[in-house]
Amino acid sequence: METTILPAGDEASRTRALDLLGEGGLVALPTETVYGLAADSTNGSAVARIFEAKGRPSFNPLIAHVADRAMGEAHARFDDVAAALAERFWPGPLTLVLPARPGSAIHPLVRAGLDTLGLRMPRGVMGEIARDFGRPLAAPSANRSGRVSPTSADHVRDGLAGRVELVLDAGPCGLGLESTILKVADGAVALLRPGSLTAEEIETFLGRRLETAGEGIQAPGQMASHYAPAGRVRLQATHVDPGEHLVAFGPAPLRGAEQAASILNLSEAGDLREAAARLFEFLNRLDSPLVERIAVAPIPDEGLGRAINDRLRRAAAPR
Ligand code: TXA
Ligand code: MG
């Protein structure tokens, strides 16, 4: 794949970006903080491609970028505090982690299986493209995993050349530091990540101190057995015991598969992108008191398979 850089101001560049997003492609788009690696948030395979391009060994939840608050309301619940924060600081460098609305069209992979959704209304090209696209754009910072966030189109190309179809270039980002992330739940406001909007400014507006992630609110990456199904999960299964529910991968049936209580195949074709897009939906479907034992076929531990296996290990972790 060739990576094209086009000026963000041109009508033709934007049309190209919208076409690519509609086809499930990846487009790097500037915001006031850093460049983001954007995809259609409702398209699971497109979202899986984001993780693939970043080379991440685990699924971190992604921020959904919206054009306005109304677009956000369709996918998450704003309580009074969240609504006031959005009213005061959007558009701007503030991400709100809010309870996801059941039935939201945003693909569960964006939330990495959590029941909360990170939402942000950015300034600049990303928000304008989200408006014209008519749907939220899932986007992490447009860097390879473990590298610094990109503040220019050249940074994006240096890190992601050949992994992203298009970069819209609007020059250097004004702020250069990522958004501040707040989790708002049950009236409590916790700082999950310090960022461009200072905690002091938020505290002054709220008239109270922010909690920190340590105070009872889980920070990303610490969700050891979050969203694990109720039943016992057996990984790397090479056979199926009678009555086990099977999560399969690839075309070859496991030994004993005919004795399975049910079979869900992450990808008949053995395609890791398809598997990533289905993983959280399957874990959710299997999360039932009626499902006591789940066997999971081996998943190749390469590329997206590493993130899938990381999540499966968490799902299988003792709790
Ligand atoms: O300024 C920014 O925030 C940039 C621009 C592109 O918007 N984006 C960015 O994305 O920095 P990323 O993926 O590099 O960092 C997003 C952070 C991650 O640490 C992720 O864990 C957290 O947001 N996050 C997203 N949704 C979350 C959720 N539901 N619960 C907890 N943390 C969440
Ligand atoms: Mg980042």
Side-chain angles (χ1 to χ4, degrees), residues 54 56 140-141 143 149 178 193:
K54 285 198 57 117
R56 259 213 130 102
S141 49
N143 50 284
S149 295
E178 292 98 331
R193 179 179 74 182

Side-chain angles (χ1 to χ4, degrees), residues 8 28-37 63-67 86 88-96 119-128 139-141 149-152 168-180 193 195-197:
L29 298 170
T31 77
E32 77 278 52
T33 59
V34 299
Y35 277 69
L37 179 61
I63 298 171
H65 296 74
V66 294
R88 168 69 181 83
F89 294 111
W90 281 3
L94 173 67
T95 296
L96 296 172
L119 279 179
R120 145 162 148 80
M121 176 184 175
R123 281 184 207 283
V125 179
M126 174 87 79
E128 293 158 17
S141 49
S149 295
T151 54
S152 73
L168 289 192
D169 184 355
C173 300
L175 296 175
L177 176 68
E178 292 98 331
S179 63
T180 302
R193 179 179 74 182
S196 277
L197 181 65

Side-chain angles (χ1 to χ4, degrees), residues 37-99:
L37 179 61
D40 177 357
S41 64
T42 66
N43 178 336
S45 299
V47 175
R49 284 196 52 202
I50 292 179
F51 291 103
E52 198 174 44
K54 285 198 57 117
R56 259 213 130 102
S58 64
F59 293 122
N60 236 18
L62 304 175
I63 298 171
H65 296 74
V66 294
D68 48 39
R69 170 122 153 255
M71 190 183 271
E73 293 269 7
H75 304 284
R77 282 198 308 273
F78 289 66
D79 65 11
D80 290 348
V81 178
L85 286 164
E87 181 68 31
R88 168 69 181 83
F89 294 111
W90 281 3
L94 173 67
T95 296
L96 296 172
V97 171
L98 304 173

Side-chain angles (χ1 to χ4, degrees), residues 82-200:
L85 286 164
E87 181 68 31
R88 168 69 181 83
F89 294 111
W90 281 3
L94 173 67
T95 296
L96 296 172
V97 171
L98 304 173
R101 274 190 205 282
S104 154
I106 290 182
H107 195 276
L109 187 54
V110 173
R111 295 184 267 118
L114 297 173
D115 47 16
T116 54
L117 176 66
L119 279 179
R120 145 162 148 80
M121 176 184 175
R123 281 184 207 283
V125 179
M126 174 87 79
E128 293 158 17
I129 298 285
R131 180 196 60 213
D132 294 346
F133 194 56
R135 290 196 282 270
L137 297 173
S141 49
N143 50 284
R144 295 290 294 277
S145 181
R147 305 296 180 79
V148 294
S149 295
T151 54
S152 73
D154 285 345
H155 290 168
V156 177
R157 194 199 31 219
D158 291 349
L160 292 173
R163 294 169 168 256
V164 50
E165 275 95 351
L166 175 64
V167 185
L168 289 192
D169 184 355
C173 300
L175 296 175
L177 176 68
E178 292 98 331
S179 63
T180 302
I181 304 182
L182 296 180
K183 178 164 178 166
V184 186
D186 308 321
V189 184
L191 182 65
L192 295 191
R193 179 179 74 182
S196 277
L197 181 65
T198 65
E200 288 80 0

